[in-house]
Amino acid sequence: MEGKKKIFHSRTVKHGSSSVLKTVIFAAILVFVILIVQNHPWRVDLTESKDFTLTDQTRNILKSIKIPVTIKAFYQEATRDKIKAQDLLDTYKYYCPKLKIEFIDPDRHPEIAKQYDVKSYGTVVVETAGKKQTITVLNEENLTNALMKLIQNKKKVIYFVTGHGEPSINDFDKNGYSMVRRELEKENYKVKTLDLLHTASIPKDASVVVINGPRKALLKPEIDTLRKYVDSGGKLVVMLDPFHDGGLKKFLKDYGIGIRNDIVIDKLSRVFGGSYLMPVITKYSTHKITQNFNVATFFPESRSLTKVEKTRPEIKVMLIALTSSGAWAETDIKTLKEKNTASFDPNQDQRGPVCLVMMSEISPPNKEKEQKGKNGKTEKKSTGNDDASKKKGELVAFGDSDFANNTYFGLSGNGDFFLNVINYLAQEENLITIQRPTKKGQPLVLTSLQSRLVFLIPIVLVPLLVIFCGLVVFRVRRKQK
Amino acid sequence: MTGFKPVYRKELYSFFASPTFYVVALIFLVIAGYFYFSAVSYYSILSFQGMQNPMWARQLNPTEMVLRPFFMDISVIMLLICPLLTMRVLAEEKKNNTSELLFTYPLTDSGVLLGKFFATLSVLFIIILGTLPSLVYFGTLTTIHWPIVAAGYLGLFLLGAAFVSLGILASSLTENQIIAAVLAFGALLLFWVIGWSKAFAGPQLAGFVSYISIINHFENFAKGVIDIRDVVYYVVFATFFLFLTLRFLESQRWRG
């Protein structure tokens, strides 16, 4: 009996251990297979418009990513938008496994949302060692551009013109521009000063040139340099305070922007706690600069800008920011200065809304080429730096320069607005345009017969068929018995 | 692998002869039909509202509005009915004491097991195909892109294979069909919901957890993308549990 038990026991151990061993080996093989496949993904996109396939441009950029990149998407749980975002980010992840994707519900993790300065659902932050890019509208174009900006190592240079009494970027005083400098450097720019008298042309590495509130007039050679720069595709920001036109009146006029000797009076700003001389802007025109931007900006002591009707055909002028219709541009400076009062004079003064920020686009002589890419998508790429003659020159004019100085930079949306303008001007040339064919909607309107059939076929007819088959089988079986 | 064909045929026969099949098919199709009906109705209502808002109407398309949610819904119903199909596969043989007979026939264990597995999977897929007429009718109402439908059914087939393999393992463990069904359902549900813990699992674990989740791999099929990683997941899943079943059947011999 003892012996029999022992034999039985040893048999169990032998078989048991071999069985366990087999299972372990088999599991190891399966894990191996999984790992191979995980590292060599391959897939087919069967959708009609290839919704889950990225364009060649995006794929090329993804290929060049060598460093770990984290994409943080701030979405509410279980919303349609989140599913869409998930689809897109999964597609990116498929092409570039290096990407790390995190979904964060800003309501559940307000601390993370605050850390990344997330203001709306659907904000996506792309982050890599110390650098980050934020996009508020998630699509292939924006995400690819954000990735591209991140992986670029070259810092873009922003030049501030000096020599005419402009507030200095190194001045920490209340009128200085040191805050602008600090914020631009945070955004990964290099900030330098530029003395136009000592250079024959604008440096090649200039992404944007800024003239912030000159007190003395620029000389003719300086203006000629600027003109050459803008005409060959340069990006220029001109900020002029009232009573100081910096000798740029004619220059601006040539680009479709008119200035007058006036100062903007806005009674609305009183509501916000400002003075009559600090017009407030709460509504912006639809332009890329002000996309999703809806914070009020204040422009202390500013002058009006007007559109010049007769310009060269290649110049396109856009109004970016306008005051409320209650504001006006006061021309009776004498009364204002002496009596400290102002009233609207319909004969002299320009009625509101008064334009405070204007932009002028100078198109290059010949148009950009459009290429038809793979998958039927139209892919368009702006020409690079070397082909300067084809770049679009851009000029943004502000009727004020104080709004971005150390005193007012942090006020409401002032700083963000200024940075938006710089970001827009500095990065336009690198942007990739990805146009996916716009999907046609397929609305479905059912007639009453159709909607009845939609109900009848799956819920009545097919189940009846199943019951019928069941009954037939049941009968046949009974007969067989 | 001898024994695959006769076992397959015999299993199919016994499925179609049993009232369980018809009841399960009926319930499945009625519920699936209801989901289909509500998806199409919702789509139609939105289209009606969308006529006032052309921007919004652009987002309406049958793939996103009907096909994708419909396939996701079917996968949920499958979770409920699969254990009912697999519960009897091996448990019944044990209960009737026919399993010893079956495994002493000159048939290989793997042949028998695969025969039973594929028979159950075929039956499940036949039930799922009962939803096809409504999609065909839907195709006459609007234009749908059929490759997406094919991807959806392929996904359901693979998901079904995973469900069935786990169900058969559960069925091999016990002779009580109810216990087999409950075990299978519990295990499948666990594999389903484990992906939800992604949110609070650590960063290392999150990737693993979402990989293990049985439903995460189905989403690609439902949206019309066939990814080799998802296919391999289901195949490996099914193979592994069939292998375990085989080991368990084998152990019954030497455990005495």
Side-chain angles (χ1 to χ4, degrees):
Chain A
M1 195 65 185
E2 271 290 300
K4 201 178 175 186
K5 210 173 178 181
K6 212 173 179 183
I7 291 168
F8 178 71
H9 186 71
S10 73
R11 201 176 63 159
T12 308
V13 170
K14 202 177 115 194
H15 282 288
S17 55
S18 99
S19 199
V20 168
L21 191 69
K22 271 187 200 166
T23 311
V24 169
I25 293 174
F26 191 70
I29 295 172
L30 291 182
V31 169
F32 191 63
V33 171
I34 289 173
L35 287 179
I36 291 178
V37 175
Q38 285 299 108
N39 289 323
H40 297 86
W42 177 84
R43 71 183 195 178
V44 219
D45 182 0
L46 294 175
T47 52
E48 206 172 5
S49 45
K50 297 278 171 257
D51 295 339
F52 307 107
T53 308
L54 299 175
T55 54
D56 293 342
Q57 285 170 301
T58 302
R59 274 187 269 171
N60 286 336
I61 287 165
L62 288 178
K63 262 183 217 154
S64 65
I65 293 181
K66 298 279 185 283
I67 41 172
V69 175
T70 310
I71 299 178
K72 288 193 165 75
F74 293 87
Y75 281 89
Q76 271 179 304
E77 288 293 331
T79 51
R80 196 170 270 267
D81 287 341
K82 195 205 158 183
I83 296 174
K84 269 193 174 164
Q86 181 104 49
D87 284 346
L88 184 67
L89 293 179
D90 281 350
T91 313
Y92 270 79
K93 173 105 180 149
Y94 162 69
Y95 286 107
C96 182
K98 269 205 194 71
L99 295 179
K100 220 176 132 231
I101 287 154
E102 283 173 38
F103 274 89
I104 295 158
D105 188 336
D107 297 334
R108 286 194 196 175
H109 297 283
E111 75 288 353
I112 306 180
K114 203 163 185 190
Q115 181 193 339
Y116 286 97
D117 203 19
V118 172
K119 294 200 180 92
S120 60
Y121 296 120
T123 302
V124 175
V125 179
V126 191
E127 199 181 19
T128 183
K131 287 193 277 183
K132 66 174 181 153
Q133 286 285 336
T134 306
I135 45 179
T136 46
V137 179
L138 180 64
N139 55 36
E140 191 185 335
E141 183 177 298
N142 290 351
L143 186 54
T144 302
N145 280 315
L147 283 169
M148 206 169 68
K149 285 178 212 163
L150 267 193
I151 57 175
Q152 269 174 352
N153 282 324
K154 219 178 86 189
K155 280 192 175 178
K156 294 205 170 105
V157 188
I158 313 290
Y159 281 98
F160 281 80
V161 173
T162 57
H164 319 93
E166 294 96 345
S168 164
I169 52 168
N170 298 318
D171 184 357
F172 291 89
D173 243 358
K174 73 189 242 306
N175 290 330
Y177 257 54
S178 63
M179 199 108 120
V180 166
R181 183 200 181 125
R182 200 184 67 203
E183 292 299 318
L184 283 174
E185 280 168 351
K186 258 195 210 166
E187 299 256 325
N188 210 24
Y189 291 110
K190 222 178 213 175
V191 185
K192 288 186 185 171
T193 55
L194 177 68
D195 188 349
L196 286 174
L197 274 180
H198 291 100
T199 47
S201 65
I202 305 281
K204 276 229 163 70
D205 63 348
S207 288
V208 181
V209 174
V210 182
I211 303 173
N212 53 329
R215 290 291 174 263
K216 282 182 274 173
L218 275 76
L219 299 175
K220 196 177 171 291
E222 293 180 304
I223 295 176
D224 287 343
T225 313
L226 288 174
R227 197 186 295 273
K228 224 167 73 190
Y229 172 65
V230 173
D231 284 343
S232 61
K235 321 284 178 188
L236 182 69
V237 176
V238 178
M239 302 154 99
L240 294 180
D241 289 310
F243 325 126
H244 301 281
D245 67 4
L248 292 167
K249 190 170 181 172
K250 182 164 184 308
F251 174 76
L252 286 179
K253 197 182 164 200
D254 290 346
Y255 292 107
I257 298 167
I259 50 172
R260 294 196 308 165
N261 199 18
D262 58 11
I263 186 161
V264 179
I265 312 267
D266 185 4
K267 292 194 168 159
L268 182 66
S269 59
R270 210 49 192 265
V271 181
F272 291 88
S275 80
Y276 286 142
L277 292 177
M278 199 196 300
V280 53
I281 287 170
T282 50
K283 271 192 179 157
Y284 304 89
S285 62
T286 46
H287 188 273
K288 258 200 162 153
I289 294 179
T290 48
Q291 203 175 31
N292 292 314
F293 187 81
N294 45 22
V295 192
T297 44
F298 294 86
F299 291 83
E301 297 192 18
S302 57
R303 71 193 313 155
S304 71
L305 302 175
T306 48
K307 204 169 172 172
V308 175
E309 290 309 327
K310 278 183 192 163
T311 50
R312 286 181 280 159
E314 64 264 29
I315 286 170
K316 199 176 139 206
V317 184
M318 283 154 287
L319 311 178
I320 304 293
L322 296 145
T323 64
S324 68
S325 49
W328 74 91
E330 180 63 54
T331 43
D332 191 0
I333 307 298
K334 214 174 153 193
T335 328
L336 185 69
K337 275 188 176 167
E338 284 168 5
K339 295 184 184 162
N340 213 6
T341 54
S343 57
F344 178 62
D345 174 5
N347 297 326
Q348 298 266 326
D349 302 341
Q350 189 202 337
R351 184 184 282 280
V354 180
C355 182
L356 296 183
V357 185
M358 222 178 215
M359 177 167 163
S360 171
E361 269 182 16
I362 302 96
S363 311
N366 42 356
K367 285 204 166 174
E368 290 160 339
K369 278 177 196 165
E370 275 194 15
Q371 294 171 326
K372 269 266 181 198
K374 267 186 189 173
N375 308 330
K377 288 162 202 149
T378 316
E379 295 171 9
K380 196 170 82 183
K381 192 174 174 170
S382 305
T383 42
N385 279 347
D386 44 69
D387 209 353
S389 63
K390 283 182 184 171
K391 273 199 312 185
K392 202 162 33 168
E394 274 160 333
L395 193 159
V396 175
F398 287 84
D400 183 31
S401 79
D402 307 326
F403 81 99
N405 71 14
N406 292 345
T407 313
Y408 294 105
F409 190 86
L411 179 66
S412 190
N414 281 16
D416 287 339
F417 185 72
F418 182 74
L419 292 178
N420 272 6
V421 170
I422 298 290
N423 280 336
Y424 172 78
L425 292 178
Q427 273 144 13
E428 174 74 0
E429 66 201 87
N430 286 321
L431 284 184
I432 289 177
T433 323
I434 295 163
Q435 280 168 341
R436 288 196 162 261
T438 41
K439 261 195 199 166
K440 266 181 281 163
Q442 286 186 32
L444 175 76
V445 179
L446 300 174
T447 64
S448 69
L449 174 72
Q450 283 169 335
S451 63
R452 225 169 283 159
L453 277 175
V454 164
F455 178 79
L456 285 178
I457 290 177
I459 302 184
V460 179
L461 286 183
V462 176
L464 274 181
L465 193 72
V466 173
I467 294 175
F468 176 74
C469 290
L471 286 178
V472 169
V473 170
F474 186 63
R475 282 205 106 161
V476 171
R477 293 256 297 172
R478 251 225 319 233
K479 265 185 197 166
Q480 280 174 345
K481 279 179 188 169
Chain B
M1 276 286 259
T2 48
F4 175 77
K5 254 192 177 167
V7 172
Y8 180 75
R9 216 176 298 146
K10 186 236 142 199
E11 278 293 314
L12 271 193
Y13 180 79
S14 61
F15 261 117
F16 291 130
S18 81
T20 319
F21 166 75
Y22 296 97
V23 175
V24 168
L26 185 73
I27 298 302
F28 174 87
L29 289 171
V30 168
I31 299 176
Y34 173 74
F35 278 132
Y36 163 81
F37 168 69
S38 62
V40 175
S41 304
Y42 184 57
Y43 180 29
S44 159
I45 290 171
L46 282 191
S47 307
F48 198 71
Q49 292 169 349
M51 284 197 281
Q52 279 111 36
N53 187 349
M55 272 296 281
W56 198 42
R58 208 177 293 161
Q59 310 210 346
L60 294 170
N61 75 75
T63 313
E64 287 297 316
M65 294 299 301
V66 175
L67 295 183
R68 194 167 166 181
F70 180 59
F71 282 120
M72 294 307 287
D73 291 340
I74 293 184
S75 68
V76 180
I77 322 170
M78 257 169 71
L79 177 76
L80 303 175
I81 65 144
C82 242
L84 302 176
L85 291 178
T86 56
M87 64 181 188
R88 50 160 288 281
V89 173
L90 288 165
E92 198 180 46
E93 304 265 10
K94 252 192 204 169
K95 178 99 180 173
N96 299 342
N97 288 325
T98 49
S99 62
E100 276 176 40
L101 189 66
L102 181 66
F103 288 108
T104 44
Y105 276 135
L107 310 169
T108 57
D109 286 3
S110 53
V112 171
L113 188 63
L114 285 180
K116 280 177 176 288
F117 169 74
F118 278 107
T120 317
L121 185 54
S122 311
V123 165
L124 176 66
F125 199 60
I126 289 169
I127 296 178
I128 292 170
L129 282 184
T131 56
L132 195 55
S134 16
L135 288 188
V136 171
Y137 179 64
F138 185 55
T140 64
L141 299 175
T142 176
T143 38
I144 57 178
H145 193 56
W146 288 102
I148 297 178
V149 177
Y153 278 107
L154 174 70
L156 288 177
F157 180 80
L158 289 168
L159 185 69
F163 282 180
V164 168
S165 70
L166 190 53
I168 288 183
L169 175 67
S171 177
S172 77
L173 299 176
T174 170
E175 60 182 45
N176 185 326
Q177 296 194 16
I178 306 293
I179 294 180
V182 171
L183 273 182
F185 179 69
L188 288 177
L189 194 61
L190 206 61
F191 269 108
W192 189 292
V193 297
I194 198 166
W196 300 349
S197 63
K198 195 173 75 174
F200 48 84
Q204 282 294 314
L205 208 60
F208 176 72
V209 159
S210 68
Y211 182 79
I212 287 288
S213 167
I214 202 163
I215 196 62
N216 277 5
H217 295 271
F218 182 69
E219 276 159 17
N220 272 339
F221 291 104
K223 68 189 188 195
V225 172
I226 299 176
D227 192 319
I228 191 81
R229 292 173 292 184
D230 301 325
V231 176
V232 165
Y233 170 85
Y234 287 123
V235 172
V236 164
F237 190 98
T239 320
F240 182 67
F241 284 106
L242 285 178
F243 183 82
L244 280 188
T245 313
L246 205 59
R247 292 278 79 79
F248 190 76
L249 291 176
E250 197 187 71
S251 80
Q252 281 175 336
R253 282 206 198 116
W254 47 261
R255 278 189 303 150

